[in-house]
Amino acid sequence: MTENLTRVFETKSKRILALDGVSFEVQRGEVFGLLGPNGAGKTTLIRILTTLLLPTYGRALVGGFDVVKEAKKVRSIIGFSSSSERVGFDFVTARRNLWFFSQLYGTPISEANRRIEELAAMLDFQDQLDRKLYTLTTGYRQRLNIARAFINDPQVVFFDEPTNGMDVFSAKKIRELFVKEAKTNSRTIFLATHNMFEAEEVCDRVAIIDRGRILAIDSPENLKSSLSKPVVLLETDIAGASIGDPTQLEGVVGGTIKVDDENEAAKIRVILR
């Protein structure tokens, strides 16, 4: 739960308002999506909720604990994974990496070993457990990163772009795990993504965030039906041309742009008002 959560970054030349009065509430056992373009404030919000960053104003509770006043209690009940962070130690096996992180939470050894085997089976990387991390492919590293977020049996798990750059099969496995963990174990999954189709597939509710403000919160179906125009997907040849930020266009709520420099092409997705 957040109330008027605000974060300001001050530099020598300017003041950046990363979060602007964000308020919402997430239910136990819900898969809650935070959807928005790069720079919308998704990572800043997750960093505050996981006690990695202090808010400038406002209040946030996770599992009933205040992220500022009760940070240690928050850390004991959450898991966190980001596609941009380092997975673990390169010259240690995947199994020992997971065991190491389980011990940081004080997980009993027998329970930790059971959790490692269980998560490896769920994410289909049992045959990779005894390989050193540096030998694993990017897809398996990311699966390991997801498993690490669940290793302490958390009440709330935060994910920041968890399937970014993944192959279709790996991404599907992870989405299936999110839904299963929420519905079977009443675990709350908080998913930040710029992939609107991923949010639609797994989330019970989605908040659309842009320029640090929540524009709408509802089920994916209701959000889609409330749009006066459909989601637009454009594919364009950008040879010799530059493409600006599509979210700056009038009438656009949010969107993403993926440029393939090698093939001189781009895919642009925008959500229209």
Side-chain angles (χ1 to χ4, degrees):
M1 184 271 289
T2 69
E3 293 179 350
N4 195 36
L5 201 63
T6 302
R7 175 66 201 198
V8 178
F9 293 100
E10 301 277 358
T11 69
K12 292 182 179 180
S13 59
K14 59 182 176 180
R15 180 177 183 268
I16 301 171
L17 183 60
L19 292 178
D20 185 7
V22 170
S23 299
F24 63 87
E25 188 169 350
V26 180
Q27 302 301 318
R28 178 84 182 261
E30 182 176 24
V31 182
F32 186 87
L34 187 65
L35 178 66
N38 294 332
K42 301 188 301 297
T43 297
T44 299
L45 178 55
I46 281 188
R47 287 186 175 277
I48 291 175
L49 295 177
T50 55
T51 75
L52 298 175
L53 183 68
L54 291 172
T56 306
Y57 312 110
R59 183 169 178 245
L61 302 179
V62 175
F65 300 120
D66 189 290
V67 299
V68 176
K69 298 177 182 178
E70 301 172 290
K72 287 186 178 180
K73 292 180 179 180
V74 171
R75 292 168 192 154
S76 70
I77 64 166
I78 66 171
F80 172 59
S81 172
S82 171
S83 63
S84 63
E85 72 176 1
R86 189 178 182 85
V87 177
F89 302 98
D90 283 345
F91 291 92
V92 177
T93 65
R95 185 189 302 275
R96 296 300 291 177
N97 266 291
L98 288 174
W99 185 86
F100 170 78
F101 287 108
S102 75
Q103 296 312 292
L104 295 180
Y105 290 97
T107 307
I109 293 176
S110 60
E111 174 67 10
N113 289 332
R114 184 189 68 80
R115 292 284 297 164
I116 290 169
E117 294 291 345
E118 183 180 80
L119 289 165
M122 288 181 183
L123 290 166
D124 195 22
F125 68 95
Q126 306 99 307
D127 58 344
Q128 307 293 314
L129 274 174
D130 295 309
R131 294 182 58 184
K132 292 184 178 179
L133 184 59
Y134 79 91
T135 68
L136 299 184
T137 64
T138 299
Y140 281 123
R141 283 174 179 244
Q142 288 185 264
R143 292 191 209 188
L144 178 64
N145 204 11
I146 299 297
R148 196 184 82 182
F150 286 105
I151 196 65
N152 61 316
D153 195 22
Q155 294 179 26
V156 186
V157 196
F158 294 90
F159 294 101
D160 191 3
E161 309 284 4
T163 60
N164 188 30
M166 274 192 175
D167 62 86
V168 174
F169 179 76
S170 295
K172 184 175 184 295
K173 278 285 181 184
I174 285 171
R175 290 167 187 155
E176 289 173 351
L177 177 64
F178 291 168
V179 174
K180 179 180 178 182
E181 287 295 313
K183 306 313 173 190
T184 304
N185 298 318
S186 296
R187 215 183 300 278
T188 304
I189 307 294
F190 191 100
L191 171 65
T193 180
H194 64 264
N195 187 332
M196 62 190 73
F197 305 104
E198 177 171 78
E200 180 182 358
E201 184 177 352
V202 302
C203 295
D204 299 302
R205 288 189 303 146
V206 176
I208 297 177
I209 187 171
D210 192 28
R211 299 179 181 88
R213 303 193 70 179
I214 299 293
L215 303 179
I217 300 179
D218 211 329
S219 68
E221 295 78 11
N222 289 342
L223 286 175
K224 283 176 64 178
S225 64
S226 69
L227 295 173
S228 60
K229 295 182 180 180
V231 171
V232 176
L233 170 62
L234 304 174
E235 294 192 35
T236 179
D237 185 348
I238 61 167
S242 61
I243 296 179
D245 183 356
T247 63
Q248 300 297 320
L249 299 174
E250 184 177 354
V252 173
V253 175
T256 63
I257 178 171
K258 182 177 289 187
V259 178
D260 185 341
D261 292 322
E262 183 176 346
N263 296 320
E264 296 186 321
K267 288 185 178 180
I268 305 169
R269 290 188 177 97
V270 292
I271 305 175
L272 303 177
R273 294 187 188 280

